[in-house]
Each structure stands twice: as C-alpha cells, then as structure tokens.
C-alpha cells in the first residue's frame, strides 16, 4: 500500500480539465450524450436525489415510532459519518471509471463480468424503486395538502392518479435534455437549503412552546412491539440510511459532466456532507416543535410532519410549508428519473436488458436516451400498482430501492480493495486513506444490509412484514435467470475504435 500523502482535491486546487471524451473512448465507449453539465450541476443531482425534504419528511413517522427523538438525532449524526466514508470510497472509484454505467461498470472492470452483472441489476432495480418511492411519497404529501386546502380525502386510487401525473411530468421534463435537468437541479439545491431554513426558522420562532433539549436528544420511544431497546435503536437507524441513498446519480451523469473524473467524485462527497448538516437541522427543528407526540403519530393527514406544522404554525403556515416540501420532492423525483434512465441506457449499451437495442437509442436532437426515460417511469409506475390494494406496498417499494442500491455501493469498493495495486486511481484519490476508509465503507454496508432485512414491528404479519429480504432474493433470482439468456451478448467493451463498433454507435442515435 502506498504511503504517499492523501490527495484531497479542493476548490482552490482543481486539476486541469482532462479530455473526458478521450478518456471515455479509453474505457470503451464512443461519446453520444451531451456533455453540458458543470460541477455544480453534478453535485446538485445527487443532492436533489438524497433530498432531505423528501426522505426525512416521508420517514419521520417511522422515526417517531422506532426509537423516537434520541435515535433520530444521534442516528442521523452517526449514520451520516459512515455514509460519508462510503461516498468517499465510491468517489475514488468513480474518478477512475467516469461512465454512465457507474457501479456495474466499475465492478465489471475490477471483478469480472458476473460481478458487473449482479451489481448492475441491484443498482438498476434500486434506482427504479427509488423513482416509485420518491414520487409516491410526493403523491402522499400532495394528498395531505389537498386535504388541508379543500377537504379532499386521499384514497389509494386518487393517490395513484396523482402519482401517475407526477411520473408523467418527470418524464416530459427529462426529454428536453440534460441542460434543463441540470438547471432544475441547481434550483433544487437552493430550494432545499432555503426550504430547510424556512421550516426550521418558522418552527423556532412561531410556536409559543417547544420541547426541551433533554427530550429531543434523550427521549427514547418504542412503538414497535419488540422488547430490546438495542434492536429498536438499530432499526431506527434506517430513517437516516433510507434518506442517504441515491448519491451515485453523480456517477451516472458523468458522461454528461465536464471534467467528470473530478467533478463527479466531488459531487458525490459534497452531496452527502451538505445533506448531513442540513438534515440534522431539519430533524432537530421538527422535533423541538412537536406539540402532541401521540397526535403527531396518529395524524389525520397521514403525514406526521404535516401535523407538526399544523400544531405549531396553524393551517395557513402548514399549507405554505407543505408546498415547499412537495416542490422539493418533485425536484428529487425528477433527478432520480435522470439517474435511472442513464443506468438503463448504459446497461442496454452493453446488451444486459431485454430489448437493449431499443433502450440504448439516443435522440439526435437533445442527445437524451428518450426510450430509457420512458422505460424508467413506466416500470416505476408498475412497481407502485400494489399500493392500490395494500397499505404495506409503499414500504415494499422502498425496500426494493434500498436493498438494491445500498449493497451495490459496496461491491466496487470491495473489488477495489481486493485489486490492491492493480487499481489505478483517477485524479480524485484518497491516497493512503483509501484502504481504511474503504474497509469502513464495506463493513458499514454489510451491517445496514442486514438491518434492512430485519422485521421492524412485532408481531410479524402480512401487513407488518419487512419485504426487503424478499425484494433482495427476487432481484438476485431475476438477475440469475436472465444471465443464462443474455450472458453471450452482455459485455463491457475493452476498447473502442473498430469500424463495427462505430457503426453500432451510429445506429443508436435517432
């Protein structure tokens, strides 16, 4: 292991831009996507996908029941630190392999075809599940707003209609090209940060009473039915871990980012630490402002944070801030569609999906993978259809997201560690810190993957079951079955440049 000083790129020590198009050819791909995204836009897409105003708000009710304030606040602080290690380790590999395929391409290069195959399927199903989870969550919050504004009573059917409208909006926005996506994500950063400041500020100033610091940082609540406080606290960590996902979006957009070998890596790390700080402030602000704990848990709106806003600010203030949250969630879902569609495009480019020739086509006008965008939103819609019949289906969709995407983060990191000196780092490198941070990341992902699969309430019934383990098995079985069909056609290129490969790339642009 090299003992050279760690190379930590910083804003005032930016290396000169590389010829990223030439680097992409070295990795085996002819550039077909428009490289119109800057470093801030790349950071913004991961920050938008993490979306503390989506994850923290949607899962706040889970946190109230599973450990309560103490686990939410201290869990966020601890989990954020470990996720930062995962992000830094992944950023280092991203710098070496800046492609839209991201995780699966890294795994393929470092471990071989099967490693890449299974990583790709985990990542893909995780990304598609994330679209469903984010946009369905936005539909739930929209229903809560409509309930406050016009007395609208959300039903599974009406929520599904709202959800489908949101998916359609995100598909259309993504068809206009990466420039619009980048612009919306840049706006999203300031909307999120301004929204958190507005919510926390209003909750700090307006209510006449607040919870004590002792309550916020030490109150433990167990509504799970399990007796062990250690078990409940471990499960409660998942609020933070569920939220801290999706930062691989920076890697998936690397073929559309200038100086991607540095900018994509920096985007991953920045999105995590900025979300870490802002998310802690948001959780603390909400928890200090709780007026009635039981009433918040059992809110008629179906959304506990909405009840906190109602109790603390009144109906007018609650509705205004709910709109802030809903718009943030819409930004989040739009960014996730962009990331997922690039994964669909990249995986199809290497012939891994049924109908790959269709999904890898790129619009000659916008240089956007149009068919991949439509496949992403349609599949996400199908994932959420069971929500019409079961209240637990949304949890199952969320499980598909996290149980797919989180293990996929660790695989290229582990393979990089296993490769040792064979791994050639890119311009963004951790230097001598690479191995210790890498092992921390791998161990943490292994721990939380187990936590994702544990039952979260007792007794375990069909309605209360944690479907994450079933989702994981289903993804692995699907990947294994399709491997025997597509293994002869699937491969990442070793080098680009033959006449046949150039003709194939030309056929992808329509």
């Amino acid at each position: 292991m090299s003992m050279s000083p760690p190379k930590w790129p910083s804003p005032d020590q930016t290396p000169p831009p590389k010829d990223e198009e030439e680097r992409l050819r070295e990795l085996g791909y002819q550039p077909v996507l428009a490289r119109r995204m800057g470093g801030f836009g790349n950071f913004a897409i991961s920050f938008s996908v993490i979306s503390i105003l989506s994850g923290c708000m949607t899962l706040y009710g889970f946190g109230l029941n599973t450990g309560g304030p103490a686990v939410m606040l201290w869990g966020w602080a601890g989990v954020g630190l470990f996720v930062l290690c995962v992000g830094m380790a992944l950023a280092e590999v991203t710098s070496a392999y800046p492609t839209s395929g991201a995780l699966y391409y890294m795994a393929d290069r470092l471990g071989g075809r099967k490693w890449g195959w299974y990583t790709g399927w985990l990542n893909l199903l995780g990304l598609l599940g994330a679209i469903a989870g984010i946009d369905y969550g936005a539909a739930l919050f929209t229903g809560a707003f409509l309930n406050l504004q016009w007395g609208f009573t959300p039903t599974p059917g009406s929520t599904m209609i709202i959800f489908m409208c949101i998916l359609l909006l995100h598909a259309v926005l993504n068809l206009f090209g990466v420039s619009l996506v980048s612009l919306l994500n840049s706006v999203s950063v300031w909307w999120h940060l301004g929204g958190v400041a507005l919510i926390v500020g209003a909750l700090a100033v307006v209510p006449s009473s607040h919870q004590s610091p002792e309550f916020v940082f030490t109150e433990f609540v167990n509504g799970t039915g399990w007796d062990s406080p250690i078990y409940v606290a471990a499960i409660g960590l998942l609020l933070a871990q569920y939220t801290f996902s999706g930062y691989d979006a920076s890697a998936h957009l690397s073929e559309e980012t200038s100086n991607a070998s540095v900018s994509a890596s920096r985007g991953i790390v920045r999105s995590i630490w900025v979300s870490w700080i802002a998310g802690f402030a948001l959780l603390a602000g909400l928890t200090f402002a709780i007026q009635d704990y039981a009433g918040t848990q059992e809110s008629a709106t179906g959304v506990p944070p909405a009840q906190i806003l109602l109790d603390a600010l009144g109906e007018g203030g609650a509705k205004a801030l709910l709109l802030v949250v809903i718009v943030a969630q819409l930004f989040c879902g739009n960014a996730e569609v962009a990331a997922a569609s690039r994964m669909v495009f990249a995986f199809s480019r290497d012939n891994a999906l049924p109908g790959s020739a269709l999904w890898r086509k790129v619009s000659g006008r916008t240089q956007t993978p149009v068919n991949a965008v439509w496949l992403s939103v349609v599949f996400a819609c199908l994932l959420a259809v069971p929500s019409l019949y079961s209240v637990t289906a949304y949890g199952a969709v969320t499980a598909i997201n996290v149980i797919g995407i989180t293990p996929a983060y660790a695989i290229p990191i582990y393979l990089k560690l296993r490769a040792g000196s064979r791994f050639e780092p890119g311009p963004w490198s951790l230097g001598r810190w690479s191995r210790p941070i890498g092992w921390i990341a791998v161990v943490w992902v292994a721990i939380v993957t187990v936590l994702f699969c544990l039952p979260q309430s007792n007794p375990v019934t069909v309605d209360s079951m944690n479907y994450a383990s079933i989702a994981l098995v289903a993804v692995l079985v699907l990947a294994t079955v399709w491997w025997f069909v597509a293994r002869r056609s699937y491969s990442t290129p070793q080098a680009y440049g033959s006449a046949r490969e150039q003709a194939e790339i030309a056929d992808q642009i329509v």
Side-chain angles (χ1 to χ4, degrees):
M1 181 178 68
S2 172
M3 295 303 290
S4 60
K7 294 178 281 184
W8 294 77
S10 61
D12 56 337
Q13 293 179 325
T14 304
K18 294 183 59 177
D19 184 345
E20 294 291 351
E21 306 291 49
E22 183 58 34
R23 175 57 180 152
L24 190 59
R25 291 186 179 92
E26 291 173 3
L27 295 174
Y29 297 113
Q30 171 69 0
V32 296
L33 301 176
R35 202 174 286 275
R36 296 170 182 161
M37 181 175 283
F40 184 82
N42 187 276
F43 147 73
I45 191 166
S46 281
F47 181 76
S48 297
V49 172
I50 292 174
S51 183
I52 52 177
L53 284 176
S54 178
C56 290
M57 301 294 274
T58 303
L59 293 162
Y60 191 80
F62 171 84
L64 290 176
N65 196 54
T66 314
V71 174
M72 279 197 285
L73 271 296
W74 293 114
W76 183 271
V79 169
L81 180 61
F82 285 113
V83 170
L84 187 60
C85 290
V86 178
M88 288 191 294
L90 186 62
E92 184 175 43
V93 192
T94 297
S95 181
Y97 304 107
T99 73
S100 294
L103 309 181
Y104 90 84
Y105 182 88
M106 303 171 196
D108 185 287
R109 278 291 182 268
L110 293 169
R113 292 174 71 228
K114 278 194 174 182
W115 279 104
W117 177 266
Y118 281 98
T119 303
W121 277 99
L122 286 169
N123 192 199
L124 178 62
L125 268 296
L127 288 167
L128 296 175
I131 297 174
I134 292 164
D135 281 0
Y136 197 84
L140 290 172
F141 270 72
T142 302
F145 173 81
L146 296 176
N147 174 263
L148 293 176
Q149 181 66 34
W150 291 292
F152 171 82
T153 302
T155 64
S158 60
T159 302
M160 179 60 67
I161 292 173
I162 297 170
F163 168 66
M164 293 172 68
C165 291
I166 293 172
L167 284 177
L168 180 61
L169 171 66
H170 288 157
V172 171
L173 289 174
N174 271 271
L175 296 181
F176 283 99
V178 75
S179 295
L180 178 60
V181 172
S182 182
L183 173 63
L184 291 173
N185 288 329
S186 297
V187 174
S188 171
V189 171
W190 302 114
W191 186 275
H192 274 81
L193 294 177
V196 169
L198 184 61
I199 292 170
V200 173
L203 292 176
V205 173
V206 176
S208 57
S209 63
H210 291 86
Q211 299 290 344
S212 67
E214 182 181 8
F215 172 88
V216 172
F217 294 105
T218 66
E219 183 72 14
F220 181 85
V221 177
N222 179 9
T224 65
W226 297 105
D227 294 329
S228 170
I230 295 176
Y231 183 89
V232 174
I235 296 299
L237 296 178
L238 296 182
L239 179 151
Q241 189 63 51
Y242 282 140
T243 304
F244 279 118
S245 64
Y247 44 85
D248 56 313
S250 289
H252 289 296
L253 272 291
S254 58
E255 288 184 33
E256 295 159 88
T257 301
S258 302
N259 194 24
S261 298
V262 172
S263 295
S265 301
R266 191 174 286 163
I268 291 172
V269 176
R270 284 178 174 171
S271 68
I272 294 171
W273 70 256
V274 174
S275 298
W276 187 20
I277 296 170
F280 187 87
L282 177 62
L283 290 174
L286 286 169
T287 309
F288 270 110
I290 292 175
Q291 304 297 306
D292 178 359
Y293 201 95
T296 299
Q297 289 177 297
E298 300 164 5
S299 173
T301 66
V303 179
Q307 192 63 47
I308 294 175
L309 298 178
L310 270 173
D311 293 342
L313 307 176
E315 189 171 311
K319 287 189 290 188
L321 292 183
L322 266 181
L323 274 178
V324 172
V325 173
I326 291 167
V327 172
Q329 292 173 336
L330 294 178
F331 279 129
C332 174
N334 190 65
E336 185 62 32
V337 169
S341 63
R342 271 50 175 190
M343 175 61 194
V344 170
F345 159 77
F347 220 24
S348 298
R349 182 171 58 182
D350 292 328
N351 296 305
L353 297 181
S356 285
L358 179 63
W359 313 125
R360 65 175 174 243
K361 287 187 178 295
V362 175
S363 167
R365 182 175 62 86
T366 63
Q367 292 179 274
T368 299
V370 172
N371 295 338
V373 170
W374 284 116
L375 177 64
S376 299
V377 297
V378 169
F379 193 87
C381 184
L382 294 175
L383 281 178
V385 166
S387 299
L388 288 168
Y389 312 102
S390 169
V391 294
T392 61
Y394 177 64
V397 169
T398 304
I400 292 173
N401 168 19
V402 297
I403 203 64
I405 210 167
T406 305
Y409 291 154
I411 294 173
I413 298 171
Y414 165 73
L415 293 173
K416 178 206 70 173
L417 293 167
R418 193 181 72 166
S421 59
R422 290 190 296 108
F423 171 72
E424 297 182 10
W428 198 101
S429 171
L430 295 172
R432 63 182 178 182
W433 294 100
S434 177
R435 291 189 68 82
I437 289 177
W439 280 116
I440 290 171
V442 169
V443 171
W444 174 249
V445 170
I447 291 171
V448 296
T449 300
V450 173
L451 293 181
F452 282 141
C453 296
L454 296 177
Q456 296 171 359
S457 60
N458 186 36
V460 179
T461 65
V462 172
D463 288 334
S464 65
M465 180 176 175
N466 181 358
Y467 287 92
S469 56
I470 295 176
L472 178 59
V473 171
V475 171
L476 294 177
V477 169
L478 174 65
T480 301
V481 170
W482 189 247
W483 168 257
F484 289 103
V485 177
R487 59 182 173 176
R488 289 183 176 84
S489 60
Y490 163 73
S491 67
T492 56
Q494 296 303 310
Y496 172 78
S498 71
R500 180 181 63 82
E501 288 170 328
Q502 292 183 42
E504 287 178 354
I505 292 296
D507 288 341
Q508 295 174 19
I509 305 176
V510 294

